[in-house]
mmCIF file of all heavy atoms in Angstrom:
data_model
loop_
_atom_site.group_PDB
_atom_site.id
_atom_site.type_symbol
_atom_site.label_atom_id
_atom_site.label_comp_id
_atom_site.label_asym_id
_atom_site.label_seq_id
_atom_site.Cartn_x
_atom_site.Cartn_y
_atom_site.Cartn_z
ATOM 1 N N ILE A 1 1.856 -17.139 4.813
ATOM 2 C CA ILE A 1 2.923 -16.917 3.834
ATOM 3 C C ILE A 1 2.294 -15.988 2.771
ATOM 4 O O ILE A 1 1.246 -16.246 2.210
ATOM 5 C CB ILE A 1 3.349 -18.229 3.182
ATOM 6 C CG1 ILE A 1 3.977 -19.137 4.249
ATOM 7 C CG2 ILE A 1 4.412 -17.907 2.065
ATOM 8 C CD1 ILE A 1 4.422 -20.478 3.770
ATOM 9 N N LEU A 2 2.984 -14.868 2.572
ATOM 10 C CA LEU A 2 2.533 -13.884 1.640
ATOM 11 C C LEU A 2 3.526 -13.814 0.463
ATOM 12 O O LEU A 2 4.626 -13.732 0.566
ATOM 13 C CB LEU A 2 2.445 -12.443 2.348
ATOM 14 C CG LEU A 2 1.978 -11.331 1.561
ATOM 15 C CD1 LEU A 2 0.501 -11.502 1.225
ATOM 16 C CD2 LEU A 2 2.123 -10.006 2.406
ATOM 17 N N THR A 3 2.814 -13.872 -0.791
ATOM 18 C CA THR A 3 3.684 -13.865 -1.997
ATOM 19 C C THR A 3 2.879 -13.193 -3.109
ATOM 20 O O THR A 3 1.819 -12.694 -2.944
ATOM 21 C CB THR A 3 4.114 -15.351 -2.322
ATOM 22 O OG1 THR A 3 5.118 -15.311 -3.363
ATOM 23 C CG2 THR A 3 2.896 -16.166 -2.858
ATOM 24 N N GLY A 4 3.547 -13.199 -4.312
ATOM 25 C CA GLY A 4 2.942 -12.539 -5.491
ATOM 26 C C GLY A 4 2.778 -13.592 -6.623
ATOM 27 O O GLY A 4 3.512 -14.636 -6.659
ATOM 28 N N SER A 5 1.825 -13.318 -7.497
ATOM 29 C CA SER A 5 1.529 -14.200 -8.571
ATOM 30 C C SER A 5 2.528 -14.072 -9.736
ATOM 31 O O SER A 5 2.957 -12.948 -10.089
ATOM 32 C CB SER A 5 0.083 -13.912 -9.058
ATOM 33 O OG SER A 5 -0.257 -14.825 -10.141
ATOM 34 N N GLY A 6 2.864 -15.176 -10.308
ATOM 35 C CA GLY A 6 3.741 -15.142 -11.482
ATOM 36 C C GLY A 6 5.287 -15.129 -11.097
ATOM 37 O O GLY A 6 5.634 -15.008 -9.921
ATOM 38 N N PRO A 7 6.174 -15.292 -12.099
ATOM 39 C CA PRO A 7 7.563 -15.383 -11.866
ATOM 40 C C PRO A 7 8.302 -14.136 -11.734
ATOM 41 O O PRO A 7 9.468 -14.116 -11.405
ATOM 42 C CB PRO A 7 8.082 -16.182 -13.033
ATOM 43 C CG PRO A 7 7.129 -15.778 -14.170
ATOM 44 C CD PRO A 7 5.787 -15.535 -13.550
ATOM 45 N N LYS A 8 7.673 -12.984 -12.016
ATOM 46 C CA LYS A 8 8.421 -11.705 -12.170
ATOM 47 C C LYS A 8 8.390 -10.855 -10.925
ATOM 48 O O LYS A 8 9.367 -10.092 -10.638
ATOM 49 C CB LYS A 8 7.839 -10.941 -13.358
ATOM 50 C CG LYS A 8 8.090 -11.502 -14.657
ATOM 51 C CD LYS A 8 7.572 -10.635 -15.788
ATOM 52 C CE LYS A 8 7.795 -11.197 -17.143
ATOM 53 N NZ LYS A 8 7.287 -10.372 -18.277
ATOM 54 N N ALA A 9 7.295 -10.929 -10.179
ATOM 55 C CA ALA A 9 7.138 -9.912 -9.059
ATOM 56 C C ALA A 9 6.454 -10.441 -7.865
ATOM 57 O O ALA A 9 5.470 -11.191 -7.961
ATOM 58 C CB ALA A 9 6.367 -8.698 -9.657
ATOM 59 N N PHE A 10 6.961 -10.031 -6.727
ATOM 60 C CA PHE A 10 6.227 -10.113 -5.389
ATOM 61 C C PHE A 10 5.186 -8.996 -5.430
ATOM 62 O O PHE A 10 3.999 -9.294 -5.617
ATOM 63 C CB PHE A 10 7.230 -9.953 -4.310
ATOM 64 C CG PHE A 10 6.655 -9.840 -2.926
ATOM 65 C CD1 PHE A 10 6.066 -10.893 -2.311
ATOM 66 C CD2 PHE A 10 6.635 -8.608 -2.284
ATOM 67 C CE1 PHE A 10 5.495 -10.809 -1.027
ATOM 68 C CE2 PHE A 10 6.124 -8.517 -0.991
ATOM 69 C CZ PHE A 10 5.604 -9.568 -0.356
ATOM 70 N N VAL A 11 5.650 -7.779 -5.349
ATOM 71 C CA VAL A 11 4.830 -6.615 -5.583
ATOM 72 C C VAL A 11 5.705 -5.557 -6.104
ATOM 73 O O VAL A 11 6.718 -5.177 -5.466
ATOM 74 C CB VAL A 11 4.080 -6.153 -4.279
ATOM 75 C CG1 VAL A 11 3.397 -4.759 -4.481
ATOM 76 C CG2 VAL A 11 3.033 -7.128 -3.865
ATOM 77 N N ALA A 12 5.460 -5.031 -7.313
ATOM 78 C CA ALA A 12 6.339 -4.086 -7.973
ATOM 79 C C ALA A 12 6.143 -2.638 -7.635
ATOM 80 O O ALA A 12 6.647 -1.779 -8.248
ATOM 81 C CB ALA A 12 6.394 -4.325 -9.465
ATOM 82 N N GLY A 13 5.314 -2.444 -6.589
ATOM 83 C CA GLY A 13 5.041 -1.026 -6.120
ATOM 84 C C GLY A 13 3.603 -0.769 -5.972
ATOM 85 O O GLY A 13 2.785 -1.704 -6.122
ATOM 86 N N ALA A 14 3.303 0.409 -5.696
ATOM 87 C CA ALA A 14 1.868 0.879 -5.653
ATOM 88 C C ALA A 14 1.388 1.113 -7.048
ATOM 89 O O ALA A 14 2.226 1.228 -8.034
ATOM 90 C CB ALA A 14 1.733 2.113 -4.841
ATOM 91 N N ASP A 15 0.091 1.121 -7.261
ATOM 92 C CA ASP A 15 -0.522 1.466 -8.559
ATOM 93 C C ASP A 15 -0.453 3.017 -8.750
ATOM 94 O O ASP A 15 -1.309 3.797 -8.216
ATOM 95 C CB ASP A 15 -1.975 0.968 -8.619
ATOM 96 C CG ASP A 15 -2.504 0.939 -9.991
ATOM 97 O OD1 ASP A 15 -2.059 1.782 -10.840
ATOM 98 O OD2 ASP A 15 -3.304 0.057 -10.353
ATOM 99 N N ILE A 16 0.536 3.450 -9.485
ATOM 100 C CA ILE A 16 0.868 4.870 -9.598
ATOM 101 C C ILE A 16 -0.257 5.599 -10.311
ATOM 102 O O ILE A 16 -0.463 6.813 -10.065
ATOM 103 C CB ILE A 16 2.111 5.134 -10.401
ATOM 104 C CG1 ILE A 16 3.302 4.394 -9.797
ATOM 105 C CG2 ILE A 16 2.462 6.617 -10.495
ATOM 106 C CD1 ILE A 16 3.571 4.678 -8.278
ATOM 107 N N SER A 17 -1.055 4.928 -11.109
ATOM 108 C CA SER A 17 -2.146 5.568 -11.848
ATOM 109 C C SER A 17 -3.138 6.165 -10.892
ATOM 110 O O SER A 17 -3.963 7.098 -11.239
ATOM 111 C CB SER A 17 -2.836 4.617 -12.792
ATOM 112 O OG SER A 17 -3.485 3.579 -12.082
ATOM 113 N N GLU A 18 -3.250 5.662 -9.673
ATOM 114 C CA GLU A 18 -4.203 6.143 -8.659
ATOM 115 C C GLU A 18 -3.720 7.403 -8.016
ATOM 116 O O GLU A 18 -4.495 8.069 -7.295
ATOM 117 C CB GLU A 18 -4.471 5.063 -7.576
ATOM 118 C CG GLU A 18 -5.166 3.868 -8.136
ATOM 119 C CD GLU A 18 -5.611 2.855 -7.003
ATOM 120 O OE1 GLU A 18 -5.103 2.944 -5.959
ATOM 121 O OE2 GLU A 18 -6.505 2.056 -7.286
ATOM 122 N N PHE A 19 -2.430 7.810 -8.199
ATOM 123 C CA PHE A 19 -1.844 8.942 -7.515
ATOM 124 C C PHE A 19 -2.197 10.252 -8.153
ATOM 125 O O PHE A 19 -2.198 11.313 -7.443
ATOM 126 C CB PHE A 19 -0.355 8.787 -7.472
ATOM 127 C CG PHE A 19 0.159 7.721 -6.541
ATOM 128 C CD1 PHE A 19 -0.707 6.873 -5.897
ATOM 129 C CD2 PHE A 19 1.488 7.599 -6.273
ATOM 130 C CE1 PHE A 19 -0.210 5.910 -4.994
ATOM 131 C CE2 PHE A 19 2.010 6.689 -5.380
ATOM 132 C CZ PHE A 19 1.147 5.825 -4.774
ATOM 133 N N LEU A 20 -2.473 10.260 -9.425
ATOM 134 C CA LEU A 20 -2.515 11.562 -10.192
ATOM 135 C C LEU A 20 -3.516 12.515 -9.685
ATOM 136 O O LEU A 20 -3.381 13.712 -9.754
ATOM 137 C CB LEU A 20 -2.726 11.223 -11.623
ATOM 138 C CG LEU A 20 -1.561 10.584 -12.389
ATOM 139 C CD1 LEU A 20 -1.940 10.149 -13.834
ATOM 140 C CD2 LEU A 20 -0.359 11.503 -12.356
ATOM 141 N N SER A 21 -4.648 12.008 -9.199
ATOM 142 C CA SER A 21 -5.755 12.864 -8.834
ATOM 143 C C SER A 21 -5.733 13.247 -7.320
ATOM 144 O O SER A 21 -6.769 13.890 -6.889
ATOM 145 C CB SER A 21 -7.114 12.175 -9.183
ATOM 146 O OG SER A 21 -7.268 10.981 -8.466
ATOM 147 N N LEU A 22 -4.808 12.788 -6.609
ATOM 148 C CA LEU A 22 -4.870 12.878 -5.121
ATOM 149 C C LEU A 22 -4.430 14.310 -4.702
ATOM 150 O O LEU A 22 -3.426 14.784 -5.161
ATOM 151 C CB LEU A 22 -3.998 11.878 -4.400
ATOM 152 C CG LEU A 22 -4.361 10.402 -4.618
ATOM 153 C CD1 LEU A 22 -3.385 9.501 -3.855
ATOM 154 C CD2 LEU A 22 -5.783 10.143 -4.142
ATOM 155 N N SER A 23 -5.101 14.831 -3.689
ATOM 156 C CA SER A 23 -4.675 16.042 -3.033
ATOM 157 C C SER A 23 -3.633 15.713 -1.965
ATOM 158 O O SER A 23 -3.433 14.560 -1.670
ATOM 159 C CB SER A 23 -5.820 16.788 -2.449
ATOM 160 O OG SER A 23 -6.422 16.007 -1.383
ATOM 161 N N SER A 24 -3.048 16.706 -1.305
ATOM 162 C CA SER A 24 -2.139 16.487 -0.248
ATOM 163 C C SER A 24 -2.796 15.728 0.892
ATOM 164 O O SER A 24 -2.199 14.784 1.480
ATOM 165 C CB SER A 24 -1.587 17.805 0.292
ATOM 166 O OG SER A 24 -0.693 17.676 1.343
ATOM 167 N N ASP A 25 -3.976 16.142 1.260
ATOM 168 C CA ASP A 25 -4.736 15.444 2.338
ATOM 169 C C ASP A 25 -5.044 14.031 2.001
ATOM 170 O O ASP A 25 -4.962 13.093 2.797
ATOM 171 C CB ASP A 25 -6.020 16.206 2.716
ATOM 172 C CG ASP A 25 -5.733 17.485 3.456
ATOM 173 O OD1 ASP A 25 -4.576 17.682 3.960
ATOM 174 O OD2 ASP A 25 -6.652 18.307 3.488
ATOM 175 N N GLU A 26 -5.454 13.852 0.693
ATOM 176 C CA GLU A 26 -5.783 12.431 0.247
ATOM 177 C C GLU A 26 -4.513 11.551 0.214
ATOM 178 O O GLU A 26 -4.583 10.371 0.479
ATOM 179 C CB GLU A 26 -6.468 12.559 -1.168
ATOM 180 C CG GLU A 26 -7.853 13.058 -1.078
ATOM 181 C CD GLU A 26 -8.392 13.427 -2.487
ATOM 182 O OE1 GLU A 26 -7.569 13.594 -3.347
ATOM 183 O OE2 GLU A 26 -9.666 13.492 -2.594
ATOM 184 N N GLY A 27 -3.340 12.194 -0.141
ATOM 185 C CA GLY A 27 -2.173 11.437 -0.154
ATOM 186 C C GLY A 27 -1.733 10.995 1.283
ATOM 187 O O GLY A 27 -1.372 9.861 1.479
ATOM 188 N N SER A 28 -1.934 11.871 2.234
ATOM 189 C CA SER A 28 -1.656 11.558 3.631
ATOM 190 C C SER A 28 -2.550 10.427 4.112
ATOM 191 O O SER A 28 -2.169 9.531 4.798
ATOM 192 C CB SER A 28 -1.849 12.795 4.553
ATOM 193 O OG SER A 28 -0.807 13.704 4.242
ATOM 194 N N SER A 29 -3.787 10.491 3.692
ATOM 195 C CA SER A 29 -4.808 9.484 4.085
ATOM 196 C C SER A 29 -4.451 8.162 3.518
ATOM 197 O O SER A 29 -4.589 7.111 4.190
ATOM 198 C CB SER A 29 -6.247 9.904 3.688
ATOM 199 O OG SER A 29 -6.645 11.040 4.365
ATOM 200 N N LEU A 30 -3.994 8.148 2.278
ATOM 201 C CA LEU A 30 -3.573 6.901 1.627
ATOM 202 C C LEU A 30 -2.409 6.290 2.355
ATOM 203 O O LEU A 30 -2.350 5.068 2.625
ATOM 204 C CB LEU A 30 -3.242 7.160 0.180
ATOM 205 C CG LEU A 30 -2.755 5.922 -0.610
ATOM 206 C CD1 LEU A 30 -3.744 4.826 -0.700
ATOM 207 C CD2 LEU A 30 -2.284 6.312 -2.010
ATOM 208 N N ALA A 31 -1.425 7.101 2.713
ATOM 209 C CA ALA A 31 -0.219 6.666 3.436
ATOM 210 C C ALA A 31 -0.639 6.050 4.725
ATOM 211 O O ALA A 31 -0.201 4.946 5.141
ATOM 212 C CB ALA A 31 0.820 7.780 3.647
ATOM 213 N N LYS A 32 -1.532 6.707 5.482
ATOM 214 C CA LYS A 32 -1.976 6.207 6.796
ATOM 215 C C LYS A 32 -2.703 4.894 6.690
ATOM 216 O O LYS A 32 -2.535 4.054 7.483
ATOM 217 C CB LYS A 32 -2.741 7.305 7.528
ATOM 218 C CG LYS A 32 -1.969 8.495 7.933
ATOM 219 C CD LYS A 32 -2.827 9.588 8.512
ATOM 220 C CE LYS A 32 -2.003 10.814 8.926
ATOM 221 N NZ LYS A 32 -2.828 11.913 9.363
ATOM 222 N N LYS A 33 -3.520 4.801 5.619
ATOM 223 C CA LYS A 33 -4.211 3.504 5.413
ATOM 224 C C LYS A 33 -3.244 2.360 5.146
ATOM 225 O O LYS A 33 -3.306 1.320 5.787
ATOM 226 C CB LYS A 33 -5.202 3.663 4.172
ATOM 227 C CG LYS A 33 -5.887 2.383 3.949
ATOM 228 C CD LYS A 33 -6.826 2.552 2.622
ATOM 229 C CE LYS A 33 -7.559 1.238 2.358
ATOM 230 N NZ LYS A 33 -8.414 1.448 1.180
ATOM 231 N N GLY A 34 -2.271 2.596 4.301
ATOM 232 C CA GLY A 34 -1.255 1.603 4.086
ATOM 233 C C GLY A 34 -0.447 1.300 5.316
ATOM 234 O O GLY A 34 -0.173 0.044 5.573
ATOM 235 N N GLN A 35 -0.046 2.330 6.023
ATOM 236 C CA GLN A 35 0.667 2.100 7.246
ATOM 237 C C GLN A 35 -0.095 1.251 8.287
ATOM 238 O O GLN A 35 0.498 0.354 8.900
ATOM 239 C CB GLN A 35 1.080 3.460 7.892
ATOM 240 C CG GLN A 35 2.189 4.214 7.133
ATOM 241 C CD GLN A 35 2.394 5.573 7.777
ATOM 242 O OE1 GLN A 35 1.848 5.916 8.718
ATOM 243 N NE2 GLN A 35 3.289 6.363 7.158
ATOM 244 N N ASP A 36 -1.360 1.576 8.418
ATOM 245 C CA ASP A 36 -2.218 0.821 9.390
ATOM 246 C C ASP A 36 -2.304 -0.632 9.012
ATOM 247 O O ASP A 36 -2.244 -1.511 9.904
ATOM 248 C CB ASP A 36 -3.615 1.421 9.414
ATOM 249 C CG ASP A 36 -3.655 2.801 10.120
ATOM 250 O OD1 ASP A 36 -2.668 3.141 10.816
ATOM 251 O OD2 ASP A 36 -4.742 3.535 9.917
ATOM 252 N N ILE A 37 -2.518 -0.915 7.719
ATOM 253 C CA ILE A 37 -2.588 -2.290 7.312
ATOM 254 C C ILE A 37 -1.252 -3.056 7.448
ATOM 255 O O ILE A 37 -1.273 -4.196 7.982
ATOM 256 C CB ILE A 37 -3.033 -2.405 5.803
ATOM 257 C CG1 ILE A 37 -4.462 -1.852 5.692
ATOM 258 C CG2 ILE A 37 -2.962 -3.842 5.292
ATOM 259 C CD1 ILE A 37 -4.896 -1.655 4.207
ATOM 260 N N PHE A 38 -0.179 -2.444 7.110
ATOM 261 C CA PHE A 38 1.132 -3.054 7.276
ATOM 262 C C PHE A 38 1.525 -3.256 8.746
ATOM 263 O O PHE A 38 2.154 -4.206 9.122
ATOM 264 C CB PHE A 38 2.167 -2.282 6.532
ATOM 265 C CG PHE A 38 1.994 -2.346 5.026
ATOM 266 C CD1 PHE A 38 0.949 -2.988 4.398
ATOM 267 C CD2 PHE A 38 2.978 -1.774 4.217
ATOM 268 C CE1 PHE A 38 0.859 -3.054 3.021
ATOM 269 C CE2 PHE A 38 2.879 -1.833 2.796
ATOM 270 C CZ PHE A 38 1.839 -2.473 2.240
ATOM 271 N N MET A 39 1.075 -2.293 9.588
ATOM 272 C CA MET A 39 1.415 -2.410 11.004
ATOM 273 C C MET A 39 0.596 -3.573 11.566
ATOM 274 O O MET A 39 1.051 -4.245 12.471
ATOM 275 C CB MET A 39 0.959 -1.103 11.727
ATOM 276 C CG MET A 39 1.360 -1.054 13.167
ATOM 277 S SD MET A 39 3.161 -1.030 13.439
ATOM 278 C CE MET A 39 3.432 0.658 12.964
ATOM 279 N N ARG A 40 -0.636 -3.790 11.075
ATOM 280 C CA ARG A 40 -1.392 -5.003 11.541
ATOM 281 C C ARG A 40 -0.609 -6.346 11.223
ATOM 282 O O ARG A 40 -0.679 -7.236 12.014
ATOM 283 C CB ARG A 40 -2.809 -5.018 10.949
ATOM 284 C CG ARG A 40 -3.681 -3.808 11.371
ATOM 285 C CD ARG A 40 -5.038 -3.938 10.790
ATOM 286 N NE ARG A 40 -5.771 -5.008 11.495
ATOM 287 C CZ ARG A 40 -6.726 -5.678 10.983
ATOM 288 N NH1 ARG A 40 -7.158 -5.475 9.644
ATOM 289 N NH2 ARG A 40 -7.399 -6.558 11.667
ATOM 290 N N LEU A 41 0.030 -6.364 10.079
ATOM 291 C CA LEU A 41 0.835 -7.518 9.753
ATOM 292 C C LEU A 41 2.002 -7.670 10.676
ATOM 293 O O LEU A 41 2.274 -8.716 11.228
ATOM 294 C CB LEU A 41 1.331 -7.459 8.325
ATOM 295 C CG LEU A 41 0.514 -7.879 7.162
ATOM 296 C CD1 LEU A 41 1.191 -7.688 5.844
ATOM 297 C CD2 LEU A 41 0.137 -9.422 7.296
ATOM 298 N N GLU A 42 2.676 -6.531 10.935
ATOM 299 C CA GLU A 42 3.863 -6.565 11.801
ATOM 300 C C GLU A 42 3.458 -7.014 13.223
ATOM 301 O O GLU A 42 4.270 -7.675 13.818
ATOM 302 C CB GLU A 42 4.505 -5.166 11.832
ATOM 303 C CG GLU A 42 5.783 -5.067 12.562
ATOM 304 C CD GLU A 42 6.449 -3.695 12.419
ATOM 305 O OE1 GLU A 42 5.935 -2.764 13.045
ATOM 306 O OE2 GLU A 42 7.461 -3.685 11.687
ATOM 307 N N ASN A 43 2.370 -6.517 13.657
ATOM 308 C CA ASN A 43 1.965 -6.879 15.076
ATOM 309 C C ASN A 43 1.090 -8.100 15.160
ATOM 310 O O ASN A 43 0.604 -8.402 16.233
ATOM 311 C CB ASN A 43 1.252 -5.665 15.646
ATOM 312 C CG ASN A 43 2.117 -4.442 15.935
ATOM 313 O OD1 ASN A 43 3.310 -4.601 16.232
ATOM 314 N ND2 ASN A 43 1.660 -3.257 15.684
ATOM 315 N N CYS A 44 0.850 -8.811 14.091
ATOM 316 C CA CYS A 44 0.079 -10.035 14.098
ATOM 317 C C CYS A 44 0.730 -11.035 15.037
ATOM 318 O O CYS A 44 1.945 -11.231 15.007
ATOM 319 C CB CYS A 44 -0.013 -10.605 12.701
ATOM 320 S SG CYS A 44 -1.045 -12.104 12.595
#
C-alpha cells in the first residue's frame, strides 16, 4: 500500500526546484528514470 504523509497530499508533483538546471538530455534521463521505476510498480 503506497500513500503520502499528512492530510493534504499523496504526492503533489515532482520537486520543480530540481528542474531549473537540467539540460534536454538530463531531462530525458530523468523522465526515463521515473518511467522505469513506475513501470516496475506496474509490473510487480
Side-chain angles (χ1 to χ4, degrees):
I1 296 174
L2 183 62
T3 192
S5 181
K8 294 182 178 180
F10 173 71
V11 170
D15 195 329
I16 305 303
S17 65
E18 295 188 341
F19 288 7
L20 291 174
S21 62
L22 298 181
S23 67
S24 178
D25 287 345
E26 289 168 335
S28 293
S29 294
L30 176 63
K32 289 174 183 176
K33 178 181 179 181
Q35 288 176 4
D36 288 346
I37 294 170
F38 291 4
M39 188 66 74
R40 297 183 72 207
L41 273 179
E42 184 173 75
N43 290 325
C44 182

